[in-house]
Amino acid sequence: FAISRDTNSRFTLNPGAEPRELSSDRLHLALGRTYHHRSGYVDINVKMGLVFGLLWLFNIFLEGIHCQGVYAPPTVRIIHSGHACNVEEERYTERVYTIREGETLELACLVSGHPRPQIRWTKTAGSASDRFQDSSVFNETLRITRIQRLQGGRYYCKAENGLGSPAIKSIRVDVYYLDDPIVTVHQSIGEAKEQFYYERTVFLRCMANSNPPVRYSWRRGQEFLSQGSDKGVEIYEPFFTQGETKILKLKNLRPQDYANYSCIASVRNVCGITNKNVLFKLSNKTASPTIKLLVEDPIVVNPGQTVTLVCVTSGGDPTPTLTWVHSADELPKKSVLNGGTLTLPAISIEEAGVYSCVASNNVGNPAKKSTTIVVRGLKKGRFWITPDPYHNDDNIQIGREVKISCQVEATPPEELLFSWLKNGRPLRSSERMVITHTDPEVQPGTTNLDIIDLKFTDFGTYTCVAVLKNGGIPEISIDVNISSTTVPPELTVPRDKSPLVVQEGDTVELQCLVSGKPKPIILWSRADKEVPMPDGGLQTESYDGALRIVNVSREMTGTYRCATSQYNGFNVKPREALVELTVQYPPAVEPLFTEIRQGLGRAFTLNCRMLRAHPSKVLKYEWKLGTRLLTIGQLDQRDETDYHVRALNREGYGEYTCEVTNEAGAGACRFLVTGRAYAPEFYYDTYSALWQNRPRVYGFKLQWTQQNPLSVDRIVAYRLGIKQTGQSRWWEQEIPMEGAIAKGELITHNLTELIKPEAYLVRLTPITRFGEGDSTDRTIRYSAPVNPHLREFQCSFEDEAVCMFTQDKRDDFDWTRHSAATRDTKYTPNTGPSSDRVGSKQGFYMYIETSRPRLEGEKARLLTPTFNVAPKSPYGTVTSSPTYCFGFYYHMYGKHIGALNAYLRQKGQSGADSSVWTLVGNQGDRWKQAKVNIHPTASFQVGTTLWEEQWVINAELRWP
């Protein structure tokens, strides 16, 4: 019987129909056969006696197939290219990609699913996570040139298209490297009390950073040393180092122990990483380094002077290497280093600090000596006046005590000297004028002038002078006036300056009026919350009492405090005042912009919502289409407004604007109403997209669905543009559409006469009575059909999916997809084809390179898809073994060529692969073709295996 679909997409039963090939419009079923529908939604197993009873169930399944269409959640897999040393499958199907440091990493994320999934690569290593890129590019390739060891880790490819859960696959990248080994030498001396003896034991430690773990070996001269080969030699690995080092112990040094020692570090040639070695000469002069500094400590200099530090070695063999380091940071950029001499031209205060000379020769511990450079200077001079501290006075009064304090930061502090002047004349300490100084070691330095029993004759200008005793630095002088007008400060805020209302983006000045003499510095801060001021600090200094804010923002609304500082003024309780600042801003609305696609004659509603505004009252709105006013109103208790279109006409297309205004300005919602059709969505999972495959040309089955087809007027046609990649000329045609397109409906158009193996850029644009809609592009490339059920299967590996070929998990290493254009002659200058089998440098082939780092006997195996044996009887049984012709092109060239084998693997015969073809040795720098007949009796795969070197394959499978 057969089940067919009519024009209304209903399925009906046709008893007695002859079984035929499964298609999208007619589903023919035969007893005893199992069918899998191409949409992937149903398997139908037809058995005697169940056909009519389950007809209603089939009808439900088949209706579901039609309704769900081709939309499918994403699937993902990761393939590799570049210079992989190996790709292994570990437990829990984890893939490990091994690569040498400095090579190029290429990982491609192949996805399926419709709509086209978006791809994102991420990398996780331990607790760190780095996102490499967010992109919506299909088959996005992650490429890292000159990969470094820190870039190893697990890489994730995530694909999502809004259907189901995202698909995620990962691969661990293991970066292999080997650094130059380093030998360090330590020696010990022992004594015995009862019987005197002198023992000198030397330890040679070899270390090298590597991945995988390094293996060490020692050689004395040309002699390889091993444990037990010499009683005076012991070789061991400290258990706590986990193989990171190997120590050569020379017990009670003998004359023959003075020799050249080589440490060889090896990672066993993995990834072609060669061994590295280091030579150390041990003699009776071998000693750890000693040094001398030919400078004073500390070195005290003035800013702008040139400082030269000299460090010399006084001992050590081998000759030590000298370096200079700075305690604070790296050496100054303008410093000059010449051997052990460090020159610092025009030194500044910031470059002061401890400088250390370090000598190292890998014998014993490095030697280190330091000196301190002190750059002289004075800064931050301040003063304050303290009324009689015994009477809690805020004012200066005759007959009471008053103290003037002066503070300066000095470097070095012990050189700081203070002096006082009154009205320009030197002032000495006396019973009524008491001058005191703080401890010079306490920073900052402070001097006090206490005036006892203040008199009118004491009024005048007092000057505090700070100098450094060795001169060379400008002095700091601070004048303080003591008179009847010297009064403590008071703060007031002008009436029109608080509360202060401004517009967002304005420049505003907050004002505090300060009186008193002397006028102190004013400190501004936030009074309502502890947040930074506009300049980033918690306090802002002002010398005139004003706080100026440029481009004020809504976050700056609040209460500000102005307060007097306790320096450069009276040392009394700070005076404070508050200023209220209110920042008005226009309404914030949503959506800021929305595109709405509608067909003619349809109704829709536009909504504009106010999120926040200040002031939030007296809000007005205006709806416009272009410049034409539609309606106005006021938002009273509501925070949104709607505009209704009952039936859209051609004049109704355009940009709608809703402006919501207050005193500060306006916020606008914008809506672009258009009849443009959405972009089509190309279908990338077409089963056997290559439908025509002639010697020079090919055809491509282009398939797509229409995104939101019912949102706008009916799509009457598609404009198809096509051009060859690299060319500028476009060819265009229209594809008419009959009837309405349903959501999820798969549309097909066959492209013909495409030239092999050229790629083409295809652009598809939907057309409605409104006009052209959004376009979408895709690139199509020639690739052989990948349908194991066709009577002929061909593969040229042009597609990254490599025609569903797979790498055998039981081999030693993998095949790589290459082309002559991407072949790296640095590694294989004399091997590998210069083109594919048709002479194109752009064509692809499968390739392996085993001269480095492969070992003899290792195998790489590539498997074809699984093919079903074509039945000869209508009941699905194989009456005799059919004959298939397996043909391929190969290129076997190089001195390390081993054997190339083709095997037949049949279902149900695991572990019994049968050899059907073999070839051994170098076949020259040219392509050759091989053909062999095979006779499988069950579903089968063909595997190609090579031992050693490289080769390429283009495969085809034919059967009568």
Side-chain angles (χ1 to χ4, degrees), residues 90-95:
E90 290 191 352
R91 295 180 60 191
Y92 311 113
T93 68
E94 181 187 29
R95 302 185 70 200

Side-chain angles (χ1 to χ4, degrees), residues 279-295:
L279 178 68
F280 185 86
K281 183 179 180 179
L282 181 66
S283 69
N284 57 3
K285 296 181 181 179
T286 300
S288 56
T290 57
I291 56 175
K292 292 181 180 179
L293 283 184
L294 306 182
V295 293

Side-chain angles (χ1 to χ4, degrees), residues 152 202 251 259 369 467 530 538 582 594 604 632 735 811 821 912 945:
V202 173
K251 299 178 291 185
K369 289 196 174 182
V467 298
E530 190 173 347
L538 291 177
T582 300
T594 298
F604 59 91
I632 61 174
I735 306 172
D811 60 7
T945 306

Side-chain angles (χ1 to χ4, degrees), residues 850 857-860 896-901 903 945-949:
T850 60
E858 291 186 332
K859 305 174 185 177
H896 299 100
I897 281 292
L900 173 63
N901 300 279
Y903 292 90
T945 306
L946 186 71
W947 299 24
E948 289 280 327
E949 198 44 62

Side-chain angles (χ1 to χ4, degrees), residues 6 17 28 74 106 117 127 200 273 321 448 468 645 722 800 869 918:
D6 58 24
H28 302 274
E106 283 190 5
S127 59
R200 186 182 182 193
I273 300 176
T321 301
N448 300 305
L468 295 180
V645 177
I722 183 170
E800 288 184 351
V869 175
T918 186

Side-chain angles (χ1 to χ4, degrees), residues 1 29-34 44-54 58 875:
F1 68 93
L29 307 177
L31 296 178
R33 296 292 301 279
T34 297
I44 302 174
N45 191 356
V46 183
K47 294 185 179 180
M48 184 70 71
L50 297 179
V51 175
F52 293 95
L54 296 181
F58 292 161
Y875 301 102

Side-chain angles (χ1 to χ4, degrees), residues 449-466:
L449 172 61
D450 284 284
I451 304 176
I452 312 299
D453 188 15
L454 183 66
K455 302 180 183 302
F456 283 107
T457 56
D458 295 329
F459 289 162
T461 300
Y462 293 83
T463 304
C464 165
V465 180

